[in-house]
Amino acid sequence: MTAAPVLSIRDLRVSTTGRAPAEILKGIGFDIAPGETVCLVGESGSGKSVTSLVTMDLLPQGELQVTGGSVLLNGEDIMTATPARTKTLRGAEMAMIFQEPMTALNPVLKIGLQMDEVYQTHRKMRPSERRQAALEMFASVHLPDPPRIYDSYPHQLSGGQRQRVMIAMALALRPKLLIADEPTTALDVTTQKQILTLISELQEQQDTAVLFITHDMGVVADIADRVCVMRHGEMVETGTVDQVLAHPSQPYTQALLRAVPSLTPRAPRPGTEGPAVIEVRSLEKVFEIGSLPARLLGRVPHRVQAVDTVNFTLSRGRTLGIVGESGSGKSTVARCVLRLEDPTAGEILIDGQDIARLHGPRALAPARRRVQMVFQDPNRSLNPRLRIADSMIEGPLNLGESRASALERAGELIEVVGLPRASLRRFPHQFSGGQRQRIAIARALMMDPEVIVADEAVSALDVSVQAQVLELLAELQAKRDLAILFITHDLRVAAQICDDVMVMRRGSVVEYGPAAEVLAHPGDDYTRALLAAAPGREWDFAHGRRLAAPA
C-alpha cells in the first residue's frame, strides 16, 4: 500500500497585491511521500522559493497573497489553518533550512540560546534537558566539540558549521517535512558533499520528506528521487531524476541542462609568449588575531598563516583559476594582489613593478587601475543609493577624467556587456542578479584594466545566467587581451574557463599547471578528493547520459 503524501500541493496560485496584481504561481502542484526527495529547479524568478514560503506560511504580508489552491501537510490544509496553528506546525511538523545561515541566525545570541528556543517553544523540558538535547543534536550532525559550538556566536563558526547548526535546528523536533532552499550554494564541494550526505542520513533515520530547492543540476543528480522544473510560476516538466536528466521533453529543461558546465576540461589554448602581467613570488600573509588586547596583556597574539609561499604567473589573454576549500587562502591571495591586504612577505609584480611594499592611495593608484575586481555579490559591491551611471563613473572621475567623457564610455561599456544604454539611469535593485553582475563587469572595465580578478563571480547565479556571464568574460578577454585571475570553488566552471589551475589547501599550493592536466589527471590526493566530491560527476548533462553507475 502506497503511503499518503506528507506534502500535497494542488493548483497553488499566488499573486502580488496592489492595483495591478501579477500572478507569481500559476496553478502548480506536486506530492512528496515519506522518505522521498523532490527537487524544485528553475531560474531565479521561477517561483521556487515562493512555493516554499507558502508551505511554511511565511509569505510577506502586504506583498504576496494566495489566490487559489491548497497545501496539505499530512492532510491538514495550511491555507485554512490559523496563524497560531501554523506556528505550532513550524518546527514540530515542518522545518526549513535557508540559503544563508548568517541571515537566519541572530548574530548577537550564542548558538546554544538559539537552539534552546526551539525546544522551549515546542516542548516542555527542563533547562538541563534542553541543553542535553541540543548537544546530542549537534553531535548527530557531526559538529566537532558540541559544548564549544553551544557557547559560540555565529561569526565564530565556519560556513559549513553554521549550515550544520541550521540543519540541527530544523531537525531537532523530527519534522515530517524538511524544506531546503539552496542550502549548499555558497559552500565548497567537499563541505557541500558532507551537508548533502548528512541530510540523506538523517532523512533515512527519520523517514523525512525533503523538498530541495536548487539551481545546481549536479546536486539534483546526486540526491533527487523526482524533479520538478519551474519557469515563470508554472510547472513545465516533472518526472524521476533519470527521466528529466536523460530524457527531458521540454525545450526549457533541455536548455537548462545544456548550460551546465562539464567537468571535462576544455581543449588547451595556445600559450602566450609575452611577459607576465602578474608575477607573484613567495607570497605570504599572516593574520594576527586579537593582537592589540594580547599586547596590552603582555601575551603573544595568535598567528594564522593564511598564505604560505605562493608563486604563480599570469600573462595577457590567459585565465588562471585558483581553487580550493573555504579557508584555503584563495581570496586572501586575490586581496593581496589587489593590495586590499598588505602581504607579510614576498613580491607582487604588476608589469614588472613590485607593489607589495607600496603604501597609500597615490602610490597604489596606477597598479589598481591596471587590476580590477569583480566580487561575488554585486548587491554588496554596487551602492544601492547610486544610479548605475554614477557607480560606473566613480573611478574615472577620481582619476581626473571629465564627467562627460566618463558617461560616454559608460554608455558604450554597458552595451558591450549586453545591456541597453538606458540602464545607466536605473538603480541596482531594478536588475536581476545576472544583470547586476554584468554591470559589475562593465564598471571594472571602466578603468581599462589589464587584469580582471573575479572572486566567485558566478557562484550564486543560475546555470543559464552563469553560462552567459562566462561567455561574456571569454568574449571580453579575446577582444581586450585581458588576463583573468578566477577564484572559484566550482570545478565545473574552472574546467571550462581556465587555461591553468592552481589548487590551494590551508594557504599552500598543492598543485599547479595546465587545467587539462590538473583536472583530468590530478597528481595530488587533495585534488583528487575535490574532484571526487563534485556533485553529479557521473553525468554528462549536455548530452543527457550517465557516464557511470551511481555509487
Side-chain angles (χ1 to χ4, degrees):
M1 182 177 177
T2 305
V6 174
L7 179 68
S8 182
I9 294 179
R10 291 288 180 274
D11 196 29
L12 181 61
R13 297 177 181 274
V14 174
S15 297
T16 58
T17 57
R19 293 183 178 179
E23 202 166 29
I24 305 300
L25 293 183
K26 304 172 183 178
I28 68 164
F30 58 89
D31 294 338
I32 310 179
E36 184 182 34
T37 298
V38 171
C39 281
L40 276 188
V41 301
E43 296 172 292
S44 296
S46 62
K48 306 187 304 293
S49 294
V50 172
T51 303
S52 69
L53 293 176
V54 172
T55 304
M56 294 289 293
D57 192 28
L58 293 174
L59 273 186
Q61 297 296 315
E63 297 179 25
L64 297 175
Q65 61 182 357
V66 176
T67 57
S70 62
V71 178
L72 302 180
L73 178 67
N74 290 319
E76 183 175 356
D77 196 343
I78 299 295
M79 299 296 92
T80 59
T82 64
R85 177 57 180 161
T86 54
K87 182 179 179 181
T88 300
L89 291 173
R90 285 196 296 268
E93 296 294 323
M94 57 180 175
M96 189 165 180
I97 306 170
F98 294 92
Q99 178 174 354
E100 178 47 67
M102 279 303 281
T103 61
L105 294 170
N106 191 324
V108 300
L109 294 181
K110 290 184 177 181
I111 296 296
L113 285 175
Q114 298 184 61
M115 186 70 170
D116 187 78
E117 184 181 7
V118 176
Y119 295 109
Q120 207 168 7
T121 302
H122 296 279
R123 296 285 188 270
K124 292 182 179 180
M125 302 168 69
R126 293 192 296 271
S128 60
E129 293 174 333
R130 296 198 300 267
R131 177 183 170 85
Q132 184 59 34
L135 295 178
E136 290 174 359
M137 200 66 217
F138 289 158
S140 74
V141 298
H142 309 307
L143 278 165
D145 194 2
R148 181 186 67 82
I149 299 293
Y150 190 94
D151 291 325
S152 297
Y153 290 95
H155 73 272
Q156 295 175 307
L157 307 181
S158 69
Q161 288 174 336
R162 287 193 292 266
Q163 200 60 284
R164 287 170 187 268
V165 166
M166 289 297 299
I167 293 171
M169 288 182 176
L171 296 177
L173 304 178
R174 296 182 175 271
K176 300 295 190 298
L177 172 68
L178 175 66
I179 301 174
D181 189 358
E182 301 276 12
T184 61
T185 297
L187 302 178
D188 55 65
V189 288
T190 50
T191 305
Q192 181 184 64
K193 184 175 183 179
Q194 292 167 5
I195 295 298
L196 295 176
T197 301
L198 172 62
I199 291 175
S200 180
E201 288 175 358
L202 296 172
Q203 180 184 27
E204 289 180 9
Q205 294 169 10
Q206 303 180 17
D207 205 25
T208 307
V210 176
L211 176 60
F212 202 100
I213 297 168
T214 183
H215 64 251
D216 190 329
M217 289 299 180
V219 170
V220 171
D222 282 356
I223 70 166
D225 296 306
R226 287 189 299 116
V227 183
C228 297
V229 183
M230 294 185 66
R231 186 189 190 196
H232 301 326
E234 297 180 309
M235 197 75 71
V236 298
E237 186 163 2
T238 184
T240 67
V241 64
D242 282 327
Q243 287 171 343
V244 173
L245 297 187
H247 307 288
S249 62
Q250 298 300 311
Y252 176 70
T253 310
Q254 294 163 4
L256 276 183
L257 292 171
R258 284 196 300 270
V260 179
S262 171
L263 265 173
T264 303
R266 71 178 183 187
R269 296 190 298 173
T272 303
E273 300 298 329
V277 181
I278 296 180
E279 187 172 0
V280 172
R281 301 173 182 170
S282 302
L283 179 65
E284 295 187 19
K285 177 60 182 177
V286 177
F287 290 102
E288 294 189 348
I289 299 175
S291 55
L292 181 58
R295 289 195 182 100
L296 291 175
L297 295 172
R299 299 173 185 168
V300 177
H302 178 57
R303 292 167 59 86
V304 176
Q305 183 93 33
V307 177
D308 187 6
T309 321
V310 167
N311 298 273
F312 67 85
T313 59
L314 178 58
S315 301
R316 291 187 77 99
R318 306 287 286 176
T319 300
L320 169 63
I322 306 182
V323 302
E325 297 172 291
S326 297
S328 62
K330 309 186 301 293
S331 293
T332 303
V333 168
R335 293 177 66 82
C336 286
V337 168
L338 288 152
R339 284 305 312 276
L340 299 176
E341 296 283 357
D342 294 330
T344 304
E347 298 175 298
I348 303 170
L349 279 68
I350 307 294
D351 287 331
Q353 179 191 14
D354 185 8
I355 67 167
R357 299 291 168 264
L358 297 180
H359 292 283
R362 183 170 297 179
L364 286 167
R368 283 181 170 162
R369 181 168 189 165
R370 293 198 292 268
V371 183
Q372 289 291 299
M373 190 162 191
V374 179
F375 293 91
Q376 177 176 357
D377 187 357
N379 285 330
R380 295 185 180 184
S381 58
L382 293 172
N383 190 326
R385 298 181 179 180
L386 294 182
R387 296 183 188 273
I388 299 306
D390 294 321
S391 286
M392 287 186 63
I393 68 175
E394 185 177 14
L397 291 184
N398 289 339
L399 293 177
E401 185 174 348
S402 71
R403 184 177 180 85
S405 171
L407 282 173
E408 179 59 28
R409 288 202 304 117
E412 293 170 0
L413 283 172
I414 204 73
E415 291 178 340
V416 166
V417 300
L419 294 175
R421 196 173 286 236
S423 301
L424 294 176
R425 297 193 296 271
R426 298 163 68 187
F427 290 93
H429 74 272
Q430 296 175 293
F431 296 90
S432 68
Q435 289 172 328
R436 283 194 291 266
Q437 200 60 289
R438 288 172 179 267
I439 292 166
I441 293 170
R443 186 179 64 169
L445 294 175
M446 283 292 293
M447 305 301 288
D448 202 18
E450 298 171 37
V451 182
I452 292 287
V453 179
D455 189 1
E456 300 283 9
V458 297
S459 64
L461 302 178
D462 300 318
V463 286
S464 54
V465 179
Q466 182 185 81
Q468 294 167 12
V469 173
L470 292 176
E471 184 178 352
L472 172 63
L473 285 172
E475 290 174 0
L476 292 172
Q477 182 177 49
K479 290 177 182 177
R480 294 170 175 261
D481 204 24
L482 287 170
I484 299 177
L485 186 62
F486 201 91
I487 317 296
T488 184
H489 66 255
D490 191 329
L491 298 178
R492 292 179 179 277
V493 170
Q496 296 311 305
I497 196 173
C498 298
D499 298 294
D500 302 288
V501 169
M502 185 169 77
V503 183
M504 292 190 66
R505 185 188 190 194
R506 297 175 184 171
S508 298
V509 177
V510 299
E511 196 159 359
Y512 176 31
E517 288 297 319
V518 173
L519 298 179
H521 308 287
D524 190 87
D525 288 342
Y526 177 69
T527 310
R528 285 192 284 270
L530 285 180
L531 288 166
R537 62 191 304 268
E538 75 277 5
W539 275 90
D540 177 356
F541 295 100
H543 298 95
R545 59 193 177 97
R546 194 187 287 272
L547 301 175

